[in-house]
Amino acid sequence: MKYGSIAAGHKTTAESARNILERGGNAFDASVGAVFTSMVSEFTLTGPGGGGAFLACPNGSEPILFDFFVDTPPPHPNKDLDFFNILVDFGPLKQEFHIGRGSAAVPGNTAGLLLVHERLGKLPLRTILEPAIEAARTGVILNESHGYLMKILDPILTHTSAGKNLFTPEGTILKEGDNFKNPAFADFLEELIRHGADYFYKGSGAKCILDIFSENGLLTSECLANYKVIERTPLKIEFQDKIFYTNPVPSIGGTLIAFTLKLIENSRGSVGVDVPDLIHAMQITALARKETSIDPNDSFQIGQILKETVFEKFLERYLSQRTLDRTERDAPSSGATTQVSIIDKCGNAASVTTTNGAGCGYLVPEMGIMLNNMLGEQDLNPLGFHNFVKQERLPTMISPSLVMGNDGPELVVGSGGSNRIRSAILQVILNYFIKEMNLEEAILSPRIHLEGDIFHCEPGIKLPGSNELPYGVQIHKWEEQNLFFGGVNAVTPTEAVGDIRRGGTGIVF
């Protein structure tokens, strides 16, 4: 390759990264620029008012995990909050969302992306934000996936008059093929170029946010100003004579992926990787999570499952192939998340996953952004809504990951999809390294996902017999590949594939 490999959730997102690499930027410049562009092209999935994580691997150095997921704000138990339910129609089912001013957690994406650029980028900030500014001013053509998301999230996007003005310029919600423009977002990016993250967290941008969210929400000038990006040492395990790196605790997803990979790695020769074995591995992983994470106030407790004495107990259960009682089902979540994966010509690698939840329903019109609804996501709030006791990082399923070989990064990978993130990334890794598929086959092959006692599967999966399924598990067959099963965007030094389930695209050039 002359410049690099890029995989992202929209053609415009990937093209912006290409533009930055062609102008002499590295993988970190290109990833930061691509994510800001995705805030236009994939507005329903990510934004400056959301959170994320960035796994950066400079060539010749150990990877760094930049954790900029959202924080809980300080508690205010007696405050009258704007916090309410809304039903979103997914066709075969309706899902309840919790939105409103009181659903917005302290955002991290803006601080995190600008810090990564400051630490690891080469080009000026203006250069890497130019593609995003251009996209916001001239518009982005919505593809099928994002047109669909606009449609189903219409009640959230158009909750306010500002939202109606932006998303229904002709009186109806934007659809596939329409040109989505957001000039206020371009103005916001210009402010970031001039003033940096302080504009958003301490300056006039923060004032615009608080004008909307302070009265019936929980955001304050103090919690915005106190937000900090946390640099963590990535979780790493050996896998197939390589090193797998991912998001560490308090992330849940990375730890669970690593645990399942260890189960399979330590049982090769005794247990295969066919569908019944994979179902059983997923069930053992769910059991390990349930039995280990017994204190909902301790988001680091999940890391215990990788300790040797604890892991060996569950490995023995896996090898025995004993059936299990019904496992707990994860709380419902929309999986409104997107992923950018890049390897540049110098061998630098970047995997960045960001999310805005489903959005809180309130647009900040001066900036063209909608804040997250993470305080209304059931799976992120196991103690119930608004029961936090201090400002602290919420746990997350997002799991930017990479697999390192002797000669550098062999696979850079991540996915959207909430609790399906871990099953999607796991299956792509197994397809690529154990089943020896090429990257396109590894990502486009049909997937499975175990959700409590429901075994979800896409068309093309060879269904196990009833005697091969764990006790009580029922099969739910999907009629076509669906964004429910995640959106894996991944690259190798010679391949780049975006998951068609979520409108992804890949470029090698």
Side-chain angles (χ1 to χ4, degrees), residues 36-279:
F36 276 112
T37 300
S38 74
M39 294 172 182
V40 183
S41 57
E42 303 168 58
F43 185 99
T44 55
L45 301 179
T46 188
F54 194 122
L55 182 59
C57 185
N59 186 29
S61 302
E62 279 291 303
I64 309 164
L65 192 287
F66 294 87
D67 176 355
F68 45 89
F69 199 60
V70 300
D71 275 357
T72 58
H76 203 318
N78 299 317
K79 192 169 188 180
D80 182 21
L81 296 178
D82 173 50
F83 186 78
F84 55 95
N85 301 345
I86 194 166
L87 284 178
V88 172
D89 189 352
F90 284 84
L93 56 86
K94 290 185 178 181
Q95 185 172 320
E96 185 179 70
F97 287 75
H98 298 83
I99 65 169
R101 296 179 183 92
S103 71
V106 186
N109 277 341
T110 301
L113 293 168
L114 293 184
L115 179 64
V116 171
H117 171 258
E118 178 186 321
R119 285 280 313 278
L120 300 174
K122 289 174 58 180
L123 298 181
L125 184 60
R126 174 167 292 280
T127 303
I128 71 165
L129 292 185
E130 279 177 357
I133 292 170
E134 175 71 11
R137 293 208 189 282
T138 63
V140 171
I141 303 300
L142 296 178
N143 63 20
E144 180 181 3
S145 295
H146 297 289
Y148 168 74
L149 287 166
M150 285 274 183
K151 177 183 177 181
I152 64 172
L153 296 177
D154 181 346
I156 298 174
L157 296 173
T158 62
H159 177 65
T160 63
S161 58
K164 289 184 175 72
N165 291 337
L166 184 60
F167 299 110
T168 61
E170 302 297 328
T172 56
I173 194 75
L174 293 166
K175 62 185 183 303
E176 178 187 1
D178 285 345
N179 189 31
F180 171 55
K181 297 180 181 180
N182 192 353
F185 182 68
D187 296 338
F188 165 74
L189 296 179
E190 294 282 3
E191 293 291 344
L192 291 186
I193 292 167
R194 284 191 287 269
H195 303 293
D198 280 355
Y199 166 74
F200 188 83
Y201 292 91
K202 300 176 182 179
S204 56
K207 183 179 184 304
C208 292
I209 293 170
L210 294 173
D211 284 346
I212 294 174
F213 288 90
S214 60
E215 184 175 349
N216 298 108
L218 291 167
L219 298 181
T220 64
S221 58
E222 291 77 18
C223 70
L224 287 173
N226 290 337
Y227 183 85
K228 295 288 186 294
V229 181
I230 302 173
E231 296 184 32
R232 304 189 190 276
T233 300
L235 170 62
K236 66 177 182 178
I237 62 165
E238 291 187 12
F239 176 73
Q240 295 288 288
D241 299 320
K242 307 175 196 306
I243 303 294
F244 172 73
Y245 292 91
T246 192
N247 198 4
V249 289
S251 165
I252 300 168
T255 303
L256 295 177
I257 295 168
F259 178 86
T260 314
L261 286 174
K262 277 194 71 171
L263 280 182
I264 293 167
E265 178 81 353
N266 282 268
S267 63
R268 294 295 306 284
S270 302
V271 179
V273 289
D274 59 9
V275 170
D277 295 324
L278 194 52
I279 295 172

Side-chain angles (χ1 to χ4, degrees), residues 199-371:
Y199 166 74
F200 188 83
Y201 292 91
K202 300 176 182 179
S204 56
K207 183 179 184 304
C208 292
I209 293 170
L210 294 173
D211 284 346
I212 294 174
F213 288 90
S214 60
E215 184 175 349
N216 298 108
L218 291 167
L219 298 181
T220 64
S221 58
E222 291 77 18
C223 70
L224 287 173
N226 290 337
Y227 183 85
K228 295 288 186 294
V229 181
I230 302 173
E231 296 184 32
R232 304 189 190 276
T233 300
L235 170 62
K236 66 177 182 178
I237 62 165
E238 291 187 12
F239 176 73
Q240 295 288 288
D241 299 320
K242 307 175 196 306
I243 303 294
F244 172 73
Y245 292 91
T246 192
N247 198 4
V249 289
S251 165
I252 300 168
T255 303
L256 295 177
I257 295 168
F259 178 86
T260 314
L261 286 174
K262 277 194 71 171
L263 280 182
I264 293 167
E265 178 81 353
N266 282 268
S267 63
R268 294 295 306 284
S270 302
V271 179
V273 289
D274 59 9
V275 170
D277 295 324
L278 194 52
I279 295 172
H280 194 59
M282 289 176 175
Q283 200 175 38
I284 292 289
T285 301
L287 177 69
R289 178 187 180 187
K290 178 184 177 183
E291 292 190 359
T292 307
S293 299
I294 56 176
D295 182 359
N297 287 301
D298 185 355
S299 56
F300 286 78
Q301 202 171 48
I302 186 67
Q304 298 290 321
I305 65 175
L306 293 172
K307 288 194 172 181
E308 204 59 37
T309 53
V310 178
F311 175 77
E312 288 294 333
K313 179 181 74 170
F314 291 105
L315 177 62
E316 181 183 348
R317 294 287 297 272
Y318 179 57
L319 291 172
S320 74
Q321 293 292 294
R322 294 199 302 270
T323 58
L324 306 174
D325 294 332
R326 178 182 301 181
T327 51
E328 294 295 316
R329 186 176 301 185
D330 290 312
S333 178
S334 63
T337 312
T338 192
Q339 167 71 21
V340 173
S341 300
I342 297 178
I343 299 175
D344 67 23
K345 65 182 180 182
C346 297
N348 300 303
S351 176
V352 54
T353 315
T354 60
T355 179
N356 203 38
C360 69
Y362 286 85
L363 200 72
V364 184
E366 299 91 339
M367 297 189 283
I369 69 174
M370 182 177 287
L371 265 57

